[in-house]
Amino acid sequence: MRVLHLDLDAFFASVEQRDKPSLRGRPVIVGGIGPRGVVSTASYEARTFGVRSAMSMSEARARCPHAAYLAGRFAVYREVSEFVMDQLRAISPLLEPLSLDEAFVDLGGSDLPDLSPGPVRKLADDLRATIRARTGVTASVGVASSKLMAKIASEQAKPDGMVVIEPGAELDVLHPLSVRALPGVGPATAARLARLGVKTVGDLARITEPDLVDLVGAAHGGMLHRLARARDERAVSTERESKSISVEDTFDRDVTDPTLLAALVTRLAEKLAERMNASGHSGRTITLKTRLHDFTTLSRSATLPAPTDDPRTVSRVASRLLSEIDVTGGVRLLGVGVSGLSDWVQDDLFGTEPEAAEDPGERSAGGFVGVRTDGASGEDAPADAVPSDGDRAGDVRVGELLHETQAWVPGMDVVHDEHGPGWVWGSGLGRVTVRFETAGTPPGPVRTFAADDPALSPARPHPQALSE
Ligand SMILES: [Mg+2]
């Protein structure tokens, strides 16, 4: 019972409900608000209407038209996430974050005198209570003998619960589950298995390893064969040892043509995504490396809120990073890399294309791409390494890099000279509607202004909730 998995419940939506009292108990959907946006997080109220992560926003709107649709506030999510990760790190330095709201902890690195159910339950209870009291959001926790089982346990604990799977009970829990419970089994693999009558993990455990390898390939087949027997030796890999994959290309001559450079970055990103797919990895931090005509090597990286292996997302982020570097003198070498790797293949929640909204008075918040870039301009990063503590440096919202907009995006924090702090409820046709409330107030009134009202400005979130 060495591995603890923590997952915040409906994280982004919970933070929004915390800070927007009028939305508590109501369906809230956070995601890309452009025409091709996808749902990032749906509150539990929205889930009862069948809205799910990674669903297109248009389908979500059809299922749940009365929900609040918000673009998301990553600075706030990151603040809560950092608090939670600090709590976990205090339990054990052997911490593997998977995304802003999810992490594995190896309790072998903790002070617990023994890892028996009693002390482990007490530790998990205290952890959940602290997170709830200090952040206003709830966490679910699973504890088990492996990463696979700990993650399944926290899934079963949701929402706001804890499940401990004691040694020996693994197969009883695992075998009735759908094959989709195993990492790396997406809809395509599940469909292929279903054609053979394999629906549950127990069904899968009856297939021989050679048959599985035939079906899904060598690497994947071997892994599935072990996981179906709850054999999971994967270690919790800490931030410092996080692996990376990169691809690069050196050119015979300096490349100066921007169109060609853009095409080369896209090709490298696709190659990188192919490798990630082949090895069953997804990653959070994308790095672009350039060697200029004078052999200066520059790297820029950006970290997404959740891991991706989507070639379009990798390519879009890499292209934006290229646009931050002065390449007018020519480029000798280009590389694209990814780190913060996770062997849990996740749906890509952030892969929407940025687009202008139809309404000329409203500009798209676009791809709902997080978040930060590191490396000040002119600074040199080691050629192949991606800075492992890059998450701390120079936060810039990629959304801003992508669009350079200062639009009134639904959900964003604003302040009005006369009415005080509030959030954007909606905008369009040259108007913006604001609800004046914060985490510490009752549900507040709604008022509409001209979009260029000088009394209204974007605001840092109203300070609250990280203490209660
Ligand atoms: Mg979560």
Side-chain angles (χ1 to χ4, degrees):
M1 296 227 307
R2 229 187 131 79
V3 183
L4 180 150
H5 180 258
L6 176 135
D7 195 345
L8 299 170
D9 301 321
F11 177 42
F12 298 167
S14 299
V15 173
E16 296 305 332
Q17 290 177 322
R18 176 193 79 178
D19 292 351
K20 299 174 168 64
S22 62
L23 300 184
R24 292 176 193 158
R26 292 193 42 209
V28 171
I29 294 166
V30 178
I33 57 171
R36 282 199 237 157
V38 295
V39 175
S40 177
T41 307
S43 71
Y44 285 94
E45 296 86 355
R47 292 180 197 188
T48 62
F49 293 89
V51 178
R52 295 283 177 268
S53 294
M55 177 180 280
S56 75
M57 277 298 224
S58 50
E59 186 173 355
R61 282 179 199 274
R63 290 185 185 218
C64 196
H66 60 295
Y69 287 85
L70 307 175
R73 299 173 302 147
F74 284 103
V76 184
Y77 307 152
R78 203 175 312 132
E79 196 180 304
V80 176
S81 172
E82 277 168 15
F83 176 83
V84 171
M85 295 302 165
D86 285 346
Q87 299 305 303
L88 295 175
R89 212 173 277 113
I91 290 174
S92 163
L94 305 178
L95 173 70
E96 180 181 355
L98 294 175
S99 60
L100 283 181
D101 73 329
E102 211 185 319
F104 287 114
V105 180
D106 183 339
L107 296 177
S110 75
D111 295 334
L112 284 181
D114 69 290
L115 299 179
S116 61
V120 166
R121 276 180 200 278
K122 165 89 170 71
L123 176 136
D125 277 341
D126 291 349
L127 172 68
R128 293 178 55 244
T130 303
I131 289 172
R132 180 201 270 269
R134 297 289 304 281
T135 70
V137 302
T138 61
S140 295
V141 168
V143 186
S145 51
S146 66
K147 287 165 90 170
L148 171 71
M149 295 312 298
K151 178 143 171 141
I152 284 170
S154 75
E155 191 58 43
Q156 298 195 335
K158 280 188 163 298
D160 194 15
M162 171 179 52
V163 167
V164 173
I165 298 174
E166 298 196 14
E170 288 91 351
L171 294 181
D172 292 340
V173 175
L174 184 62
H175 279 181
L177 300 177
S178 155
V179 288
R180 293 291 303 275
L182 298 179
V185 180
T189 304
R192 217 179 298 169
L193 292 169
R195 283 197 288 276
L196 302 173
V198 174
K199 298 213 163 84
T200 66
V201 180
D203 297 336
L204 190 65
R206 286 190 283 276
I207 299 192
T208 66
E209 186 166 3
D211 284 350
L212 257 185
V213 166
D214 274 351
L215 210 61
V216 297
H220 204 182
M223 182 177 83
L224 287 185
H225 187 258
R226 289 189 298 277
L227 293 179
R229 286 158 184 74
R231 277 177 24 215
D232 177 20
E233 262 88 62
R234 293 170 303 163
V236 172
S237 58
T238 62
E239 291 140 297
R240 228 161 288 142
E241 12 176 275
S242 82
K243 296 164 281 182
S244 63
I245 305 178
S246 61
V247 294
E248 57 181 54
D249 237 340
T250 309
F251 315 118
D252 304 336
R253 58 182 175 85
D254 294 343
V255 180
T256 53
D257 177 9
T259 314
L260 180 55
L261 279 171
L264 290 167
V265 166
T266 303
R267 198 180 69 185
L268 286 168
E270 284 166 0
K271 222 193 265 181
L272 177 68
E274 250 170 55
R275 280 206 200 164
M276 293 165 75
N277 283 310
S279 62
H281 284 103
S282 56
R284 285 181 67 203
T285 300
I286 292 161
T287 298
L288 179 82
K289 173 178 152 190
T290 53
R291 182 162 302 143
L292 303 182
H293 60 101
D294 61 358
F295 288 89
T296 315
T297 304
L298 297 175
S299 296
R300 293 288 178 275
S301 55
T303 299
L304 301 164
T308 185
D309 62 353
D310 180 65
R312 288 163 310 169
T313 304
V314 176
S315 152
R316 191 172 59 245
V317 175
S319 304
R320 297 304 159 179
L321 293 171
L322 179 67
S323 72
E324 288 179 52
I325 299 174
D326 180 6
V327 292
T328 46
V331 171
R332 303 220 133 203
L333 173 150
L334 272 179
V336 179
V338 63
S339 63
L341 290 183
S342 140
D343 45 16
W344 299 86
V345 179
Q346 304 209 353
D347 290 329
D348 176 31
L349 307 183
F350 303 96
T352 63
E353 294 301 318
E355 296 231 349
E358 300 93 323
D359 181 344
E362 177 184 333
R363 291 163 76 188
S364 169
F368 202 62
V369 184
V371 188
R372 46 192 94 126
T373 67
D374 17 4
S377 90
E379 230 174 60
D380 207 351
D384 292 304
V386 175
S388 62
D389 60 346
D391 287 12
R392 308 280 176 275
D395 284 3
V396 175
R397 286 187 50 184
V398 173
E400 283 159 18
L401 294 175
L402 290 176
H403 308 292
E404 294 170 8
T405 60
Q406 183 40 77
W408 301 117
V409 174
M412 77 186 282
D413 294 294
V414 293
V415 62
H416 189 276
D417 290 348
E418 187 187 331
H419 302 288
W423 56 276
V424 172
W425 189 82
S427 70
L429 303 172
R431 293 174 161 266
V432 52
T433 299
V434 176
R435 191 183 275 278
F436 290 98
E437 63 182 6
T438 66
T441 68
V446 167
R447 291 202 163 77
T448 296
F449 307 92
D452 57 359
D453 187 331
L456 191 67
S457 47
R460 282 286 301 157
H462 194 63
Q464 41 54 52
L466 270 180
S467 58
E468 211 162 65

